[in-house]
Amino acid sequence: MNDTALLSVAEPALVREVFERTEHFVPSNALTAVTELSPQALRILAREGFALPPVLASASGPEHVRVRRIVAKFFSPAKVGAVAQSIRDIARSSARLSADQLAAQGRSDLAGTVAADVPPRIMGTLLGVALPDQRLLKIWSRDSLELFWGWPDQERQLQLAQSAAQFYAWLRDSVRHAQGQQNLWGVLGAAGVPEREICSLGYFLLIAGQETTCLLIQTVLYRALRDPAIWEACARGSQDAAHNFVRRVLATESSVHTWRRAVTEDTELGPHTLPAGAEILLELSGEHLATDPYGHKLAFGHGLHRCLGARLAEMEAVIALEETARALPDPAALAVTECPESRWLRLLSFQAPLKVEVQS
């Protein structure tokens, strides 16, 4: 047991078994706040009509499969492949901005340039949805991750709830204006998915979906800068250097390192006897997966709940690393600022250095 009162499951075969046994292990607690929200915070959310009914990541059964099929079409291999050049163009432009900042100011935060720029712009393109200003979306994303997967005290909860309510209000308006359109909201509505469920899906997809890729890119850049051989190989365009390094990070230090499941009935899992109602924490990333040839895949889940954006996230991280290394090809000329533990995002299911600062 750990300090979250969840049974931690780390052995890869058992983690995959949990994902496969959907009748015994359900995602109903996927969007449940880790810290019980205060009545004052709940009232702030309630005034905005905030609701996260089960859908996609937090649902199971036939309705989950139906909605998943609709969403999957927006992340098909063909559609993801079609935005590859856009990803490279955005990453190259952002990396050049960092190089310019280094030349002019002597420092640059790659988390605020490359990592922050690529995922939201590509997500908006694929979904066909006009997203809010990137700085505002970043605030909403980080606040919601902390509200639902962190340990905020009651005073902090009030601030986070205000932010979550603002995002939800924007999202609901976006869903309502999408009626009759061919973007994701409009297609889901035309298929009979209720507004509340579309908002629930959108809330998680926009906040966790694009933000976790930002966090992944931050970790990839932060760790690669500390390995001059890797950085130089990526700068030279050595075949598979960036690809292999991103997979190493996914296996050992993914931005999504755990996920939760709830037990539906008394059952056995390896050496564990689990009662109905128990909650478990699946470890999707860590040093124990460093030598597992498929360890990088667990960061995106497994089976019916495998992340639909897995291919996209990995591609974005690889291209971001390649383009940044090419823009800043000499690691010996860069001083990488150490990111202290206090400046890492450390939540139940999400982690990353908050800054990736380099100095010339």
Side-chain angles (χ1 to χ4, degrees), residues 92 95-96 99 322-329:
R92 182 174 299 158
R96 286 175 177 168
E322 289 175 341
E323 293 300 330
T324 308
R326 289 168 184 166
L328 307 169

Side-chain angles (χ1 to χ4, degrees), residues 3-4 34-35 146-147 149-153 157 346-349:
D3 62 2
T4 63
V34 174
T35 299
E146 183 182 352
L147 181 63
W149 287 275
W151 297 269
D153 60 26
Q157 284 182 24
R346 296 292 191 193
L347 305 177
L348 180 68
S349 293

Side-chain angles (χ1 to χ4, degrees), residues 22 25-31 52-68 197 200-201 259 261 304-305:
T22 55
F25 304 101
V26 295
S28 57
N29 58 348
L31 304 184
L52 296 177
V55 63
L56 206 57
S58 57
S60 55
E63 184 61 15
H64 162 258
V65 174
R66 186 176 80 91
V67 172
R68 183 179 174 86
E197 276 70 13
S200 179
L201 183 152
W259 208 243
R261 282 295 184 270
L304 286 175
H305 281 88

Side-chain angles (χ1 to χ4, degrees), residues 2 57 141 239 244 283 319:
N2 57 23
S141 298
Q239 188 175 14
N244 291 337
E283 296 190 22
I319 293 175

Side-chain angles (χ1 to χ4, degrees), residues 21-343:
R21 291 172 56 189
T22 55
E23 73 280 14
H24 295 133
F25 304 101
V26 295
S28 57
N29 58 348
L31 304 184
T32 302
V34 174
T35 299
E36 185 176 357
L37 300 184
S38 68
Q40 296 92 329
L42 290 173
R43 280 196 291 270
I44 292 171
L45 297 175
R47 281 198 295 268
E48 199 54 65
F50 188 102
L52 296 177
V55 63
L56 206 57
S58 57
S60 55
E63 184 61 15
H64 162 258
V65 174
R66 186 176 80 91
V67 172
R68 183 179 174 86
R69 285 173 179 162
I70 295 172
V71 178
K73 294 177 182 178
F74 287 79
F75 294 93
S76 69
K79 290 196 173 182
V80 171
V83 297
Q85 188 57 52
S86 294
I87 294 172
R88 193 166 296 280
D89 291 343
I90 296 169
R92 182 174 299 158
S93 176
S94 299
R96 286 175 177 168
L97 173 61
S98 286
D100 291 343
Q101 289 177 347
L102 270 174
Q105 305 167 18
R107 66 177 59 215
S108 180
D109 178 18
L110 303 180
T113 53
V114 181
D117 203 24
V118 177
R121 292 175 62 178
I122 296 300
M123 180 69 76
T125 297
L126 286 173
L127 300 185
V129 175
L131 300 186
D133 174 83
Q134 283 182 220
R135 288 170 296 182
L136 183 56
L137 181 60
K138 175 70 68 177
I139 293 171
W140 283 343
S141 298
R142 291 281 174 85
D143 286 350
S144 286
L145 289 180
E146 183 182 352
L147 181 63
F148 286 96
W149 287 275
W151 297 269
D153 60 26
Q154 291 196 8
E155 182 177 350
R156 179 63 175 159
Q157 284 182 24
L158 300 183
Q159 300 170 350
L160 299 174
Q162 291 280 7
S163 175
Q166 291 169 8
F167 175 74
Y168 194 85
W170 173 87
L171 178 59
R172 187 177 54 231
D173 287 345
S174 177
V175 169
R176 288 176 178 173
H177 283 101
Q179 291 184 21
Q181 298 181 29
Q182 290 304 302
N183 62 24
L184 179 58
W185 313 154
V187 171
L188 287 168
V193 179
E195 179 183 284
R196 278 163 47 97
E197 276 70 13
I198 299 175
C199 289
S200 179
L201 183 152
Y203 187 84
F204 181 76
L205 183 62
L206 292 186
I207 288 181
Q210 58 82 29
E211 180 63 17
T212 56
T213 306
C214 294
L215 298 174
L216 172 63
I217 294 172
Q218 288 166 213
T219 305
V220 165
L221 295 176
Y222 185 76
R223 293 305 183 198
L225 282 163
R226 282 159 172 72
D227 191 331
I230 289 294
W231 194 262
E232 290 172 355
C234 293
R236 292 194 309 268
S238 297
Q239 188 175 14
D240 293 334
H243 185 263
N244 291 337
F245 188 77
V246 168
R247 289 195 165 186
R248 184 199 307 175
V249 171
L250 283 169
T252 61
E253 200 174 13
S254 172
S255 56
V256 185
H257 59 105
T258 69
W259 208 243
R260 287 173 286 177
R261 282 295 184 270
V263 180
T264 59
E265 59 185 65
D266 295 355
T267 190
E268 305 289 326
L269 178 67
H272 307 290
T273 298
L274 302 174
E279 296 189 76
I280 57 177
L281 188 71
L282 304 177
E283 296 190 22
L284 307 182
S285 183
E287 288 299 328
H288 65 288
L289 291 167
T291 58
D292 188 321
Y294 302 105
H296 64 281
K297 292 187 175 182
L298 270 187
F300 297 111
H302 177 72
L304 286 175
H305 281 88
R306 178 169 168 78
C307 174
L308 291 170
R311 177 187 175 92
L312 174 65
E314 187 173 336
M315 178 189 293
E316 289 177 324
V318 168
I319 293 175
L321 175 55
E322 289 175 341
E323 293 300 330
T324 308
R326 289 168 184 166
L328 307 169
D330 184 5
L334 299 174
V336 186
T337 303
E338 185 68 26
C339 186
E341 180 61 30
S342 62
R343 293 298 297 154

